[in-house]
Amino acid sequence: QVVGAEKLFLSGRRKRGEDLESAVRFFLEFLHGFESFEFEGPCVTVFGSARFPERHRYYELARELGRALVQAGYAVMTGGGPGIMELGNRVAKNLGILSCANIVDFRNSRNLNIQEQKQNPYIDAKMTYRLDRLVERQAEFHLDFPIILTGGIGTDFEYCLEEVRRKVGAVSPTPVLLFGEVDYWRKKITSRFFCNLQAGTITHSEWVSNCFYCIQTARQGLAVYRDFFLGKLPIGANNPPAKEGFVIVD
């Protein structure tokens, strides 16, 4: 649906003064959108499956973590879809915190399940990206502190991008929380980590593993953040790698 300044622009030939007015309106609409995504405090970004119903046990665990983080003053960003993403936006909305989303426009794709195309109703501010702009979308997620839950191919893609961003120095080595059972993350991460170690393909980059922290409770997640802000977290290139490709928080 075409609305706002775009609708006037596409309505047909007009006077130069009217075109100038439309150009100013374009700029103001873009400015309003970007200003909506400016946060005074840190932002947590929630990644996870769009397929988890509200009755799933991970849903309740994520609700606990999300509520604790939002109450601690963190803004919330998600991919804007259903499942775990909806949970993050709902918790923020219920607690009166700005609830944001970076949404992918799936309308031109014929290969996606309809579940992945639904936008959840708990979003205050959003930006929409074309399918060929997925990497740019990730870079603009305000990823101060990503939280990754159980997910599929899309979540794996987002996990790998966070590894690369830390490796190349696109972002500072802030902690990424992996929320869920240790065995699940071992199956996903450890075998790949060992394979790369043995092949010698991550030499001098092994340290990236110390940026990922597997937690089971909101209390553990908040403890990771507390130690990070106090300078007590052994994270970054000057610290040893995690033995299993990620850190297990007790």
Side-chain angles (χ1 to χ4, degrees):
Q1 184 181 5
V2 180
V3 296
E6 292 98 331
K7 188 173 183 178
L8 290 174
F9 179 75
L10 295 172
S11 63
R13 186 177 180 85
R14 298 178 302 153
K15 297 179 180 179
R16 290 185 178 180
E18 292 174 336
D19 284 339
L20 176 60
E21 182 181 352
S22 289
V24 173
R25 288 183 178 178
F26 281 141
F27 173 76
L28 291 176
E29 287 181 10
F30 274 111
L31 183 62
H32 174 72
F34 284 113
E35 286 181 342
S36 297
F37 281 72
E38 291 184 358
F39 312 116
E40 293 183 1
C43 177
V44 296
T45 303
V46 180
F47 298 113
S49 178
R51 291 174 169 80
F52 282 167
E54 190 165 353
R55 64 182 179 275
H56 195 284
R57 64 190 183 90
Y58 279 146
Y59 204 91
E60 185 55 41
L61 289 173
R63 189 197 305 274
E64 175 193 359
L65 177 61
R67 184 180 294 112
L69 291 173
V70 169
Q71 288 175 334
Y74 293 78
V76 172
M77 176 83 72
T78 78
I84 294 298
M85 294 174 283
E86 178 177 320
L87 166 65
N89 290 126
R90 182 193 295 185
V91 170
K93 188 85 168 177
N94 290 344
L95 293 175
I97 303 297
L98 184 63
S99 176
C100 302
N102 279 355
I103 297 170
V104 177
D105 185 354
F106 289 128
R107 289 177 297 178
N108 293 326
S109 174
R110 300 179 181 178
N111 300 323
L112 292 167
N113 184 289
I114 190 65
Q115 175 79 354
E116 296 178 85
Q117 300 184 51
K118 292 172 59 179
Q119 177 182 317
N120 77 67
Y122 303 102
I123 299 169
D124 295 319
K126 67 179 181 179
M127 296 184 71
T128 303
Y129 294 78
R130 301 198 309 266
L131 281 171
D132 61 347
R133 291 293 183 266
L134 292 178
V135 175
E136 289 86 343
R137 168 180 176 259
Q138 185 84 357
E140 295 171 4
F141 245 125
H142 292 272
L143 288 167
D144 297 325
F145 299 101
I147 302 173
I148 303 178
L149 292 96
T150 303
I153 295 173
T155 305
D156 292 345
F157 167 74
E158 289 154 345
Y159 169 88
C160 290
L161 279 179
E162 287 312 297
E163 284 188 311
V164 173
R165 280 153 54 83
R166 282 157 179 75
K167 172 187 173 180
V168 302
V171 296
S172 59
T174 57
V176 179
L177 299 185
L178 307 175
F179 201 35
E181 297 177 358
V182 173
D183 285 344
Y184 170 82
W185 294 110
R186 280 182 176 138
K187 291 173 183 176
K188 275 223 166 180
I189 297 173
T190 305
S191 58
R192 172 173 161 267
F193 179 68
F194 285 163
C195 180
N196 287 336
L197 279 179
Q198 293 167 4
T201 54
I202 57 172
T203 302
H204 306 306
S205 298
E206 305 96 327
W207 65 267
V208 173
S209 60
N210 68 35
C211 297
F212 295 82
Y213 291 77
C214 179
I215 64 170
Q216 313 295 310
T217 67
R219 178 185 57 80
Q220 291 175 329
L222 290 174
V224 171
Y225 290 153
R226 182 194 63 227
D227 289 348
F228 174 75
F229 285 117
L230 292 175
K232 297 180 179 179
L233 204 65
I235 190 172
N238 295 324
N239 291 282
K243 294 180 180 179
E244 297 192 63
F246 62 95
V247 179
I248 301 172
V249 180
D250 297 324

